[in-house]
Amino acid sequence: MSALMTIGFPQNFIWGTATAAYQVEGAIHEGGRTDSIWDVFCRKEGVIHDHSSGQIACDMYHRYPQDVGIMKELGVDAYRFSISWNRIIPQLGGPVNQEGVDYYHRLLDSLLQAEIRPVATLYHWDLPQYLQDRGGWINRDTALRFADYAQTLAQSLGDRVDTWTTLNEPWCSAYLGYGSGEHAPGIRDYAQTLSAAHHLNLAHGLAVQALRSVLGEKARVSVTLNLTASVAESAAPEDVAAKRRVDLLANEIWLGPMLDGSYDPELLEVTSDYSGWSFLKDGDEEIIHQPLDVLGVNYYSSSHVRGVTDPDEIASRKASHSSPMPAQEIVDSLPPKGPLTAMGWNQEPRCLTDLLLELSRRYPELDLMVTENGSAWDDQVSLDSQAPGGKIIHDPQRVAYLDAHVKALKKAIEGGAHLTGYFVWSLLDNFEWAYGYQKRFGIIGVDFSTQERIWKDSAYWYQRIIREGLDS
C-alpha cells in the first residue's frame, strides 16, 4: 500500500500545478498572436496597479522546456495550462494560425515526454480583442465563435490532451469584467454582467458539444468554477437569506444550467430589476447542460455574510453599485478575520472540506478536482549555497496554508467526497491581473529582471507531499 493511500488519498490521485496563458507566456507580438482584451486593458492608464502587462510575463513561450523540467523535478502528475485563443485564431473568422498550434504541440510534446498529463483550459479570460470590438460576451455570437475555436483545438491537438476545461472562473469574466470593471474589458453595468454570464454558460455547452463532435465520448471534459464558500453569520432569517442571495449569483448561475439543466427561477426573479433575460433563448439551457467528467473547483478563501434589513440601507446599497454582482443589496460581507494573505484574504480550510462534501452529495456521479488553491505572500530571496542557483525563498506562511488545505482535502475524501486531483496555484510567480507583479502566488519564484527561477520552501514541501504523502 502506498504512502498516499495510507493517509486517505487514492493511489491514482492527481497532484498538479497550474498557470494561465496571459499570466506566463509573454511573447504577445510573436508567433502570429494578436491582441486580447487584456493587452488592450493593460494599456489603459491606472487599471494595473504597477502599470505592467503580460508582454513578457514569465517568458514561458520561450522557456517552457525549463519550466516543464521543474515540473518533472517536482514530480507532478499533471499540468493545468490555458491556451491563448488569439494565438490560434488571430483574426475574426480565421484562418487557423499554424504557428500558434505548433507552440502548443511543442508544449504537449515536452509534457508527455516528462510523463505529465496536460490539462488544457480553452478560456482563461483572454478574449480576442476582435470579438470584444463586436460586443464581447454580451454578444451571443461570441459563444458561437468559442465553439468554432473549441472544434479547432480538438482537431489540431486531438487526444494528446488528457482533460479539456472549457472555462476558468466565468464568475470573474462576468462580474469583474462587466460588473466592477476591475478586469478586462473594464465595464460596469449589471445588465451586461447577466448577459455575459449567460453567454459564457452557452459557450461552455457549445464547446463541450464541439469537443465531443471531434473526439467522441473518449474526450474527458470539465469546467472550472470559483464557487463562493459563503457562511451565514447566524441562523437568523436575514443572515440565511443573505447567504442564499450570494449563492444564487455566485454559484447557482453556473451550477444550475451547467449541471442541473436550468436556471433557478429565484435567480431570474431577484435580478429582474437589472435584466429581463431576453438573451435567454428557447433551447439554451439544454445546450448548456452537457455531460461532464470533472468539475473543477478553485478555492482560496471563504466569505462570511449577514443580512441587511433596513429599507433605506438596502436602497442606498442598490444605488451604489458596490458589489461586482447585482442583487446584493441585502448582503453585508463581513471583514475577513484571522491571519490574512497578501491579497487580504482569510484562511478557512474547513470551508473547502464543506464545499467538496456538499458538491459530492449534490452531484454523486461527478469527479471533483481542486484546480486552483494557493496564497500570495511578500516573498524575500535568501542566499543558500545548497540551493539551485545559490538562492532560495523561505515562505513558511505559504507552506502552512498549503499544508492546511491539503489536510482539508483529506477530510473531504474521508467524508465521501469524490475528489480525484489537486492543483497548486501557481507553478510560477506571474502577472497577477490587475495587481501586476506585486502579488506572488508561485511555489517557484521568478526574478522578472532576469527570468531566473528560484525554488521556494513550498516547492520542496510539495515535492515531498507528492513523493511521500502527508503527515497525519
Side-chain angles (χ1 to χ4, degrees):
M1 183 177 288
S2 74
L4 292 184
M5 290 182 69
T6 63
I7 55 91
F9 288 89
Q11 193 166 20
N12 59 351
F13 191 82
I14 296 169
W15 298 96
T17 188
T19 65
Y22 192 72
Q23 294 181 270
V24 298
E25 282 182 1
I28 64 172
H29 302 302
E30 294 183 46
R33 181 189 181 279
T34 55
D35 276 351
S36 76
I37 55 175
W38 274 93
D39 296 296
V40 173
F41 189 65
C42 288
R43 294 177 198 138
K44 295 181 180 179
E45 186 64 33
V47 299
I48 308 299
H49 292 196
D50 61 1
H51 313 289
S52 64
S53 74
Q55 181 171 345
I56 300 173
C58 304
D59 194 31
M60 200 173 189
Y61 185 82
H62 300 110
R63 298 172 187 267
Y64 70 87
Q66 175 188 2
D67 294 328
V68 173
I70 290 171
M71 286 185 260
K72 185 174 178 62
E73 191 171 350
L74 282 168
V76 298
D77 303 302
Y79 172 50
R80 179 176 175 257
F81 63 98
S82 77
I83 295 172
S84 170
W85 188 346
N86 38 303
R87 280 200 195 279
I88 303 299
I89 306 175
Q91 305 295 335
L92 182 65
V96 174
N97 175 35
Q98 193 59 44
E99 282 187 90
V101 172
D102 289 346
Y103 165 68
Y104 291 106
H105 268 300
R106 293 193 299 271
L107 176 60
L108 290 170
D109 287 342
S110 187
L111 290 168
L112 293 171
Q113 186 175 2
E115 299 182 320
I116 296 170
R117 302 184 196 186
V119 177
T121 301
L122 277 64
Y123 185 70
H124 198 129
W125 309 352
D126 47 352
L127 187 73
Q129 182 61 34
Y130 60 74
L131 289 175
Q132 186 61 44
D133 292 340
R134 294 161 59 91
W137 287 113
I138 66 168
N139 184 347
R140 186 180 181 88
D141 185 65
T142 299
L144 304 180
R145 301 288 73 78
F146 187 65
D148 294 341
Y149 161 61
Q151 183 171 337
T152 295
L153 289 179
Q155 292 167 338
S156 301
L157 304 180
D159 58 4
R160 307 185 73 210
V161 171
D162 179 85
T163 303
W164 297 90
T165 303
T166 55
L167 306 174
N168 176 79
E169 298 185 351
W171 186 99
C172 295
S173 298
Y175 295 131
L176 299 183
Y178 291 85
S180 67
E182 297 169 64
H183 282 190
I187 294 169
R188 286 171 52 86
D189 185 305
Y190 282 152
Q192 291 193 37
T193 65
L194 297 169
S195 177
H198 176 65
H199 292 138
L200 283 156
N201 278 329
L202 184 64
H204 159 77
L206 291 168
V208 176
Q209 290 180 333
L211 289 167
R212 292 214 164 105
S213 73
V214 176
L215 300 173
E217 291 306 309
K218 66 181 178 180
R220 182 170 163 83
V221 182
S222 69
V223 68
T224 281
L225 305 176
N226 57 322
L227 300 170
T228 297
S230 60
V231 180
E233 184 67 2
S234 77
E238 62 270 21
D239 292 351
V240 174
K243 171 179 164 51
R244 170 65 177 166
R245 186 64 63 87
V246 171
D247 289 347
L248 277 172
L249 272 294
N251 300 344
E252 297 306 319
I253 197 170
W254 320 112
L255 294 173
M258 287 184 183
L259 297 181
D260 298 329
S262 64
Y263 288 104
D264 190 315
E266 188 182 351
L267 171 67
L268 307 187
E269 178 186 344
V270 302
T271 58
S272 60
D273 286 348
Y274 305 99
S275 174
W277 286 74
S278 60
F279 43 77
L280 174 56
K281 307 298 183 186
D282 288 345
D284 281 1
E285 288 164 312
E286 288 78 9
I287 293 172
I288 298 167
H289 185 215
Q290 297 297 315
L292 293 178
D293 301 289
V294 178
L295 174 61
V297 177
N298 290 357
Y299 179 87
Y300 292 92
S301 62
S302 62
S303 171
H304 288 248
V305 299
R306 65 186 172 201
V308 179
T309 57
D310 179 75
D312 292 337
E313 178 67 13
I314 290 173
S316 173
R317 286 169 176 266
K318 192 169 185 177
S320 69
H321 198 110
S322 58
S323 169
M325 299 188 295
Q328 300 300 293
E329 59 274 3
I330 68 166
V331 180
D332 186 15
S333 295
L334 302 176
K337 295 180 180 178
L340 305 183
T341 71
M343 297 293 288
W345 298 344
N346 74 344
Q347 303 176 65
E348 196 164 16
R350 71 175 180 88
C351 287
L352 174 58
T353 301
D354 293 344
L355 178 61
L356 294 171
L357 287 170
E358 179 185 345
L359 289 167
S360 278
R361 286 191 292 266
R362 184 168 172 181
Y363 306 109
E365 75 289 349
L366 201 56
D367 285 346
L368 301 177
M369 283 190 178
V370 173
T371 39
E372 287 183 25
N373 175 242
S375 56
W377 301 96
D378 298 325
D379 296 331
Q380 300 294 325
V381 179
S382 300
L383 298 179
D384 185 337
S385 61
Q386 304 301 312
K391 299 176 183 176
I392 193 169
I393 295 171
H394 297 300
D395 56 344
Q397 294 164 311
R398 184 177 289 106
V399 170
Y401 176 98
L402 293 172
D403 188 77
H405 285 79
V406 168
K407 288 174 179 172
L409 304 183
K410 175 188 172 184
K411 289 181 181 178
I413 292 171
E414 291 172 344
H418 304 289
L419 186 67
T420 61
Y422 173 77
F423 292 74
V424 168
W425 184 269
S426 172
L427 173 66
L428 302 170
D429 291 338
N430 54 43
F431 177 75
E432 189 51 45
W433 307 110
Y435 292 96
Y437 298 95
Q438 294 177 335
K439 306 298 182 185
R440 299 189 171 228
F441 279 88
I443 59 172
I444 301 294
V446 178
D447 180 336
F448 291 102
S449 65
T450 63
Q451 291 297 333
E452 181 183 7
R453 274 52 169 158
I454 305 168
W455 281 60
K456 304 182 186 181
D457 286 341
S458 54
Y460 291 112
W461 170 88
Y462 198 41
Q463 183 186 58
R464 187 173 65 255
I465 290 294
I466 295 168
R467 289 178 178 174
E468 303 173 10
L470 182 69
D471 293 333
S472 60

